Amino acid sequence: MELQGKLCAYCEGIISDEKACHIEHFFPKGKHPRLTFDWDNLFLSCDNKGQCGRYKDTECSNYDPRKLIKPDRHDPDDFLFFHSNGKVMIRSAIDEEMALRASETIRVLNLNEPGLVGRRKSAVGVYIKITDELDGWSDEDIREYIGEELKAIGNAEYITTIRHFLTRCLR
């Protein structure tokens, strides 16, 4: 839990305690038994059956883990854009292989599950209201404010959605 900042490796939802999570095998232990205790195959995932690791293991049995974004190997920012409406989208202007990896990750982990989309949208909602107040600020002041805000919130729940929204405000 400490290594991941108490966040799910896939959705970035907060994990409050050991009962709200499970140890996720990126390569399923049933199909890849030799990786059952391999450190590089273990992640902390939320225990939500409608998304992330539980969903992957119960609802999406037909997938190739090698075609997913692996949290410790790939930078999700290279593949995915987290919109302020709460949805995860495939980044534009990426190659076909990256787009497939992004698409499969969204599908297999059910990252656009309606409840999750709503929670992301709520998390960024506070910042949408704040940015309305930035009218009239200089670009330099906005950049400084956003930089300080991102430092202050650190590893907050749904941080990537918040970060993607705030950095778009700089453009």
Side-chain angles (χ1 to χ4, degrees), residues 90-110:
I90 300 168
R91 281 225 180 255
S92 58
I94 60 175
D95 67 38
E96 191 175 318
E97 181 182 327
M98 290 176 74
L100 173 64
R101 191 177 295 272
S103 171
E104 273 298 275
T105 299
I106 293 168
R107 181 185 73 82
V108 171
L109 299 174
N110 202 22

Side-chain angles (χ1 to χ4, degrees), residues 43-102:
F43 296 94
L44 191 64
S45 178
C46 65
D47 207 30
N48 188 325
K49 291 171 182 40
Q51 69 200 45
C52 302
R54 290 282 189 213
Y55 185 86
K56 172 177 80 67
D57 293 341
T58 59
E59 302 297 321
C60 268
S61 58
N62 187 21
Y63 69 93
D64 181 352
R66 294 170 298 184
K67 293 184 178 170
L68 301 178
I69 298 168
K70 192 165 184 276
D72 65 338
R73 181 168 296 152
H74 306 107
D75 183 351
D77 282 346
D78 294 339
F79 301 83
L80 303 171
F81 176 71
F82 290 71
H83 196 279
S84 60
N85 67 11
K87 290 197 174 197
V88 179
M89 302 181 314
I90 300 168
R91 281 225 180 255
S92 58
I94 60 175
D95 67 38
E96 191 175 318
E97 181 182 327
M98 290 176 74
L100 173 64
R101 191 177 295 272

Side-chain angles (χ1 to χ4, degrees), residues 2-150:
E2 295 305 315
L3 284 173
Q4 289 181 205
K6 297 185 179 184
L7 297 179
C8 174
Y10 301 126
C11 74
E12 296 182 333
I14 196 82
I15 296 175
S16 54
D17 60 41
E18 290 86 14
K19 294 175 187 156
C21 65
H22 77 279
I23 295 174
E24 162 63 8
H25 293 82
F26 187 82
F27 289 90
K29 59 186 175 183
K31 294 179 181 176
H32 302 271
R34 69 185 189 342
L35 297 176
T36 299
F37 301 107
D38 186 327
W39 184 252
D40 292 333
N41 192 45
L42 304 175
F43 296 94
L44 191 64
S45 178
C46 65
D47 207 30
N48 188 325
K49 291 171 182 40
Q51 69 200 45
C52 302
R54 290 282 189 213
Y55 185 86
K56 172 177 80 67
D57 293 341
T58 59
E59 302 297 321
C60 268
S61 58
N62 187 21
Y63 69 93
D64 181 352
R66 294 170 298 184
K67 293 184 178 170
L68 301 178
I69 298 168
K70 192 165 184 276
D72 65 338
R73 181 168 296 152
H74 306 107
D75 183 351
D77 282 346
D78 294 339
F79 301 83
L80 303 171
F81 176 71
F82 290 71
H83 196 279
S84 60
N85 67 11
K87 290 197 174 197
V88 179
M89 302 181 314
I90 300 168
R91 281 225 180 255
S92 58
I94 60 175
D95 67 38
E96 191 175 318
E97 181 182 327
M98 290 176 74
L100 173 64
R101 191 177 295 272
S103 171
E104 273 298 275
T105 299
I106 293 168
R107 181 185 73 82
V108 171
L109 299 174
N110 202 22
L111 294 180
N112 281 327
E113 185 273 328
L116 178 56
V117 167
R119 290 188 298 278
R120 279 195 211 102
K121 185 177 179 180
S122 292
V124 80
V126 171
Y127 296 96
I128 291 171
K129 290 176 187 169
I130 290 171
T131 57
D132 290 342
E133 298 172 13
L134 300 179
D135 284 344
W137 287 32
S138 72
D139 289 348
E140 184 179 325
D141 286 343
I142 291 172
R143 246 188 302 289
E144 183 179 338
Y145 168 76
I146 289 175
E148 288 176 13
E149 189 63 26
L150 287 170

Side-chain angles (χ1 to χ4, degrees), residues 81-84 89 91-92 131 142 146 161-171:
F81 176 71
F82 290 71
H83 196 279
S84 60
M89 302 181 314
R91 281 225 180 255
S92 58
T131 57
I142 291 172
I146 289 175
T161 306
I162 295 166
R163 183 172 43 78
H164 284 186
F165 172 73
L166 289 175
T167 54
R168 285 187 74 86
C169 291
L170 297 174
R171 296 181 182 150

